[in-house]
Amino acid sequence: MTAHTTPAGAPAAGPRAARRRLIRELLLVAGFFTVYKAGRLLSTDRTGEAFRNADWIWDAERALRLPGEGAVQRLLLHGDALVTTANTYYAAVHFPATALFLIWLYVRRPAHYLWTRRVLAVLTGAALVLHLAYPLAPPRMLPAARLIDTGQVYGPTVYRAAPDADTLANQFAAMPSLHFGWALMLAIGVIAATRGGKRSRWGLLWVLHPLVTLLVIVGTANHYWLDALVAAVLLGVALLLVPRPRAVDPDTDPSDSDTGAAVGADADAPAVAGPDAVAGTGARGGVHALPHPKSTVETVGAGK
């Protein structure tokens, strides 16, 4: 019996295939982000509806006895450096942190990268639908909230003072808060990818990111408490819809040393049996060893 080998003429995974996969992923992420940004701008002219919804959200929070957003803002206003740091965190951490997280997963945890990418896609798509269906003015614009637009007063800010003149962002897309939703998924993803390994204790530190993000988005008057709550609910639904990758010991993950083949394969695709699998040594890749054939005595004794 000969060992199972790769068929002759089959393309080997190499630098060229890895580059193709990387380009494909970049195009997918860039394309989805472009669609999302373009879709958000479709509701920029619904000012009256956005403010009516803001009044309803503000009254609903008070009826639910949620703490006022002003309590968090007053903490930030104790010092110019503190409020400027909060504005900078809001403006500069959101996208870079998520991008670095995805790059790390792509290189070190390919299966978790595919899972995280799909979860973020579902979450962001659902958020876009809600942004279009339910335009919402942020609390910094709501007179009843009596909050300061800290970005405009102290800087830096990512928005223009006049929402109608802002062609780069839809300021009436407050619900849900993707700042919080993405930050929460980042923490969940890091913990899931490092769970059980020596680096799991560092994953727990990433829980601080969504907590700090929550205080920042509320304290800078860019979002209501309910914006974060709805984002968390949508993320929970996305996590239920997208199957999680199989459990792997992060410190012995084969993807750490050979990420190319794992990134290009779908997480649900079956593993290909190699020589070790046939010999019974490939159980780590999910392929079981072949059973030993029965002896002649056993076969005769069984009446076969």
Side-chain angles (χ1 to χ4, degrees):
M1 182 176 181
T2 60
H4 177 77
T5 58
T6 303
R16 182 176 299 179
R19 283 195 297 270
R20 286 199 298 267
R21 286 190 293 269
L22 178 59
I23 292 173
R24 182 190 65 184
E25 290 299 325
L26 291 175
L27 290 176
L28 279 173
V29 174
F32 189 81
F33 179 73
T34 301
V35 171
Y36 169 73
K37 293 292 288 185
R40 276 172 52 116
L41 295 176
L42 295 177
S43 59
T44 54
D45 58 345
R46 300 163 65 181
T47 303
E49 186 179 356
F51 277 95
R52 286 193 298 271
N53 291 335
D55 287 328
W56 190 91
I57 289 294
W58 184 259
D59 293 339
E61 286 190 343
R62 306 294 77 78
L64 294 172
R65 299 186 181 277
L66 293 177
E69 287 80 355
V72 181
Q73 185 170 93
R74 285 191 291 273
L75 293 176
L76 296 182
L77 294 177
H78 277 300
D80 290 357
L82 186 59
V83 68
T84 301
T85 300
N87 290 333
T88 304
Y89 199 93
Y90 182 86
V93 174
H94 176 50
F95 284 109
T98 307
L100 290 174
F101 168 58
L102 289 174
I103 292 171
W104 176 76
L105 287 179
Y106 181 88
V107 175
R108 306 292 291 181
R109 301 287 185 270
H112 284 84
Y113 166 78
L114 291 171
W115 171 63
T116 303
R117 187 194 68 186
R118 292 166 182 164
V119 171
L120 287 176
V122 173
L123 169 63
T124 307
L128 176 58
V129 172
L130 192 52
H131 289 161
L132 297 176
Y134 195 80
L136 179 65
R140 66 177 186 273
M141 298 182 184
L142 187 63
R146 299 179 181 178
L147 296 174
I148 297 173
D149 187 343
T150 60
Q152 295 295 334
V153 175
Y154 297 93
T157 182
V158 294
Y159 304 118
R160 293 189 177 182
D164 295 338
D166 200 334
T167 58
L168 298 178
N170 178 10
Q171 298 192 40
F172 297 143
M175 178 177 288
S177 169
L178 282 180
H179 269 73
F180 181 73
W182 285 14
L184 185 58
M185 183 56 205
L186 191 154
I188 293 173
V190 170
I191 293 173
T194 60
R195 186 176 58 181
K198 296 177 181 178
R199 293 183 293 272
S200 59
R201 61 184 180 275
W202 297 109
L204 294 176
L205 292 177
W206 283 100
V207 175
L208 294 176
H209 178 49
L211 292 178
V212 172
T213 299
L214 178 60
L215 294 178
V216 164
I217 64 175
V218 171
T220 58
N222 284 298
H223 288 283
Y224 305 90
W225 294 110
L226 287 179
D227 295 341
L229 178 60
V230 171
V233 171
L234 291 179
L235 177 59
V237 173
L239 290 171
L240 290 175
L241 293 176
V242 180
R244 287 188 58 183
R246 64 181 178 86
V248 178
D249 182 358
D251 295 317
T252 59
D253 190 348
S255 64
D256 279 355
S257 58
D258 185 11
T259 60
V263 172
D266 193 291
D268 302 325
V272 178
D276 290 340
V278 175
T281 60
R284 182 182 177 186
V287 181
H288 297 287
L290 294 177
H292 295 289
K294 293 183 177 181
S295 65
T296 306
V297 176
E298 290 176 328
T299 305
V300 173
K304 296 182 182 179

